[in-house]
Amino acid sequence: LAKTTQPISMDSYEGQEVNITCSHNNIATNDYITWYQQFPSQGPRFIIQGYKTKVTNEVASLFIPADRKSSTLSLPRVSLSDTAVYYCLVVPQGPWGGATNKLIFGTGTLLAVQP
Amino acid sequence: EPEVTQTPSHQVTQMGQEVILRCVPISNHLYFYWYRQILGQKVEFLVSFYNNEISEKSEIFDDQFSVERPDGSNFTLKIRSTKLEDSAMYFCASTGEIWGSPLHFGNGTRLTVT
């Protein structure tokens, strides 16, 4: 499984756009990039997933460059309730190379949004 | 939106006791998981379950742990003889497809072993 690296923490203010970048230099051809969010004392919650270019949903956008060695989660106009840990994961899309479907979580990025 | 539910939300037990953590996955999901998170640490994979058998388990999931789907709706994690180091949040998750579909997590059971 490709290892991911993301900042340990980020600070922001309400109303700002927040971009969290994740590097995954060893991503495999069949891997997707997936982001989860976790609030204190709650389970992780799926935010967005993509393979390449840009994906947008009602919560966030995900930008993936052509080489796919990094990705950026963009949260528009954050509010206090967006304070959480954000996890970037590389997820195989099939059992190629012995891959399994379990998720491997890193330490994530703690986003602190202030008023 | 359907969700994964876990009970109890908090369980306190004494060392050496058996505990059963319960989960009701989303009804049409076929793949089930348990994860745990020790306070301040990463979310760790414990076990995956499909078609009434374990698909994969981690090194953490030793002989003290077992999982069961006793009926069509519940999915349980049993710890036979709890240790202090089993204190953690335990999360159940489910998904409808093995590949490409996100996992839906419950809000966890906080297990405290004294």
Side-chain angles (χ1 to χ4, degrees):
Chain A
L1 286 172
K3 182 176 157 55
T4 61
T5 303
Q6 53 184 123
I8 293 173
S9 64
M10 292 182 72
D11 293 321
S12 184
Y13 292 94
E14 282 192 291
Q16 287 190 333
E17 177 184 80
V18 170
N19 296 308
I20 306 174
T21 297
C22 176
S23 66
H24 25 79
N25 290 316
N26 296 323
I27 190 168
T29 303
N30 299 307
D31 291 341
Y32 275 63
I33 297 125
T34 304
W35 287 78
Y36 282 76
Q37 173 192 56
Q38 186 181 27
F39 298 113
S41 298
Q42 292 189 27
R45 184 175 76 101
F46 171 79
I47 302 175
I48 197 165
Q49 174 170 286
Y51 184 79
K52 61 181 178 181
T53 64
K54 178 184 172 182
V55 179
T56 297
N57 62 21
E58 64 278 5
V59 175
S61 294
L62 178 59
F63 299 91
I64 305 167
D67 67 6
R68 303 199 331 119
K69 293 184 184 299
S70 67
S71 59
T72 299
L73 175 73
S74 181
L75 304 172
R77 296 179 300 282
V78 294
S79 63
L80 295 175
S81 62
D82 291 316
T83 293
V85 178
Y86 292 82
Y87 298 99
C88 166
L89 295 90
V90 169
V91 182
Q93 296 302 296
W96 299 284
T100 72
N101 68 333
K102 66 175 184 282
L103 298 181
I104 305 294
F105 286 86
T107 50
T109 297
L110 174 58
L111 173 65
V113 180
Q114 302 183 31
Chain B
E1 183 181 330
E3 54 183 34
V4 175
T5 57
Q6 292 186 242
T7 54
S9 56
H10 191 187
Q11 171 103 39
V12 181
T13 190
Q14 289 191 326
M15 200 165 50
Q17 295 296 304
E18 174 184 286
V19 294
I20 297 176
L21 309 183
R22 300 180 193 281
C23 169
V24 178
I26 293 174
S27 64
N28 61 344
H29 283 182
L30 300 174
Y31 302 89
F32 314 113
Y33 308 80
W34 285 100
Y35 286 76
R36 81 169 187 192
Q37 187 173 33
I38 295 170
L39 186 63
Q41 298 189 25
K42 298 178 188 179
V43 177
E44 300 175 291
F45 169 77
L46 291 179
V47 66
S48 58
F49 190 87
Y50 168 70
N51 200 25
N52 280 322
E53 59 183 32
I54 291 173
S55 309
E56 186 176 0
K57 59 184 180 180
S58 71
E59 290 179 355
I60 303 168
F61 194 89
D62 61 21
D63 291 344
Q64 293 300 311
F65 291 87
S66 62
V67 289
E68 192 178 33
R69 187 153 162 84
D71 52 44
S73 59
N74 292 286
F75 180 50
T76 62
L77 174 69
K78 181 193 292 187
I79 308 175
R80 230 176 306 279
S81 176
T82 51
K83 306 192 256 303
L84 293 176
E85 54 265 37
D86 293 327
S87 295
M89 283 287 284
Y90 288 81
F91 297 109
C92 172
S94 69
T95 186
E97 298 175 22
I98 187 169
W99 305 107
S101 187
L103 265 60
H104 297 256
F105 285 81
N107 278 331
T109 292
R110 178 174 301 282
L111 176 65
T112 302
V113 182
T114 62

